[in-house]
Amino acid sequence: MAIIVINVLNTSKPVKEAVAGYFKDPSGSGKKAGTSMTGTGKALTVSKDNMDKLKDELQKSMAQMKDFDKLKNQVEMTITQEGLRIELLEAESGTFFDLGSSRPTVKGQELMEMLADELGKLPNKISIEGHTDAKPYAKNRDYGNWELSADRANAARRLMQTKGIRADQVSQVRGYADQKLRQPDKPLDASNRRISVIVHYVEKPPGAEEPEEADKHEEGKSEGDQKPKTEGESEPKVESGEKEH
């Protein structure tokens, strides 16, 4: 699979449009937008340079969902050291999962399916986390917040893998119970109950050049750049006892 790494923040408008067009038509079956990088079927790598562009594209896709205005305060996206963290925050009555259950609600399914469709277009690895609040789980003595958080993360993984996320794309599924509260000063707050989807960065190999920079170097090379040798001229000799460095 060919991978294209581009720096969206420091590139021209046509290139930015190409990134946006990729999410609309990664297979190349539709109308091309921006540059020839769009619609080729090649994977766009989301790196530290352009993760904010992915965030913008996901926000636009979510805004097109039916009744998303009722959910927008319960979806939080943050660019972190790991990558793009997408958090689905529960309300008191339950929004994305049934209360005390790992069964997604209709709204939860719709949102996770949309995310799977978009994120499945990327080569980036993904982690999925489950979190609870600090209230003890009282339904079953043999089942607690650890089990619930892990089961919800796995339920999200199963659903998303049927709707676009590849089997080899998920690198970790984590259940944290109440050990990483979103609001430590409010341990019982409903927003502590959440699913987090993390899109990890893809790092560029050391010394890798951006495509535009590489082109500039190629254009600047010419035979005239090198000083021609005159007849009889030879390579400089190293004096005896002197080492080359």
Side-chain angles (χ1 to χ4, degrees):
M1 177 178 64
I3 296 179
I4 300 173
V5 182
I6 60 176
N7 185 336
V8 176
L9 296 179
N10 297 318
T11 52
S12 62
K13 183 179 179 181
V15 177
K16 293 180 181 179
E17 290 175 350
V19 179
Y22 172 84
F23 289 97
K24 297 175 184 176
D25 183 26
S27 65
S29 59
K31 182 180 180 182
K32 296 183 180 182
T35 72
S36 59
M37 285 184 287
T38 305
T40 63
K42 295 182 180 180
L44 171 71
T45 297
V46 180
S47 66
K48 289 184 178 181
D49 295 325
N50 58 4
M51 187 63 82
D52 62 332
K53 187 62 181 179
L54 172 62
K55 179 181 176 181
D56 290 343
E57 292 301 320
L58 291 177
Q59 288 174 332
K60 291 176 183 177
S61 296
M62 289 180 186
Q64 296 175 7
M65 294 178 61
K66 184 180 178 181
D67 298 328
F68 182 70
D69 284 345
K70 299 177 181 179
L71 300 176
K72 63 181 181 181
N73 293 329
Q74 291 171 252
V75 179
E76 185 176 278
M77 286 191 274
T78 310
I79 297 176
T80 70
Q81 292 182 347
E82 283 186 287
L84 178 63
R85 176 174 287 266
I86 307 163
E87 299 207 289
L88 312 185
L89 313 175
E90 294 290 342
E92 287 294 341
S93 58
T95 302
F96 302 108
F97 287 89
D98 292 339
L99 282 175
S101 169
S102 61
R103 182 172 56 252
T105 63
V106 173
K107 286 298 180 186
Q109 288 184 39
E110 291 177 356
L111 186 54
M112 284 185 268
E113 287 175 6
M114 186 281 296
L115 287 173
D117 182 58
E118 296 291 346
L119 300 181
K121 300 169 185 176
L122 305 173
N124 300 61
K125 293 291 187 179
I126 292 170
S127 295
I128 303 175
E129 298 175 354
H131 301 266
T132 68
D133 57 23
K135 184 178 180 180
Y137 189 90
K139 287 186 178 181
N140 187 336
R141 290 183 178 180
D142 297 325
Y143 191 94
N145 285 335
W146 284 108
E147 287 79 11
L148 180 61
S149 63
D151 286 350
R152 283 185 170 181
N154 257 318
R157 174 193 58 79
R158 285 192 296 270
L159 174 60
M160 294 177 74
Q161 284 185 332
T162 64
K163 297 299 179 178
I165 296 295
R166 302 182 304 280
D168 64 347
Q169 196 172 2
V170 178
S171 60
Q172 287 184 321
V173 178
R174 312 162 181 164
Y176 283 109
D178 61 345
Q179 297 305 297
K180 291 195 174 184
L181 295 172
R182 181 174 176 270
Q183 298 195 49
D185 56 331
K186 298 179 181 178
L188 301 181
D189 191 89
S191 66
N192 290 311
R193 308 196 307 264
R194 65 201 191 277
I195 287 292
S196 303
V197 178
I198 301 97
V199 183
H200 296 280
Y201 296 119
V202 172
E203 298 291 347
K204 291 176 290 187
E209 286 186 307
E210 299 294 344
E212 289 188 357
E213 291 299 320
D215 291 343
K216 290 178 182 178
H217 290 319
E218 290 298 324
E219 291 174 1
K221 289 181 180 180
S222 66
E223 293 181 0
D225 290 339
Q226 298 180 359
K227 182 181 177 181
K229 293 181 181 179
T230 58
E231 187 175 350
E233 185 179 2
S234 61
E235 296 293 335
K237 295 180 179 181
V238 179
E239 296 294 334
S240 177
E242 187 178 350
K243 297 181 179 178
E244 282 188 307
H245 294 285

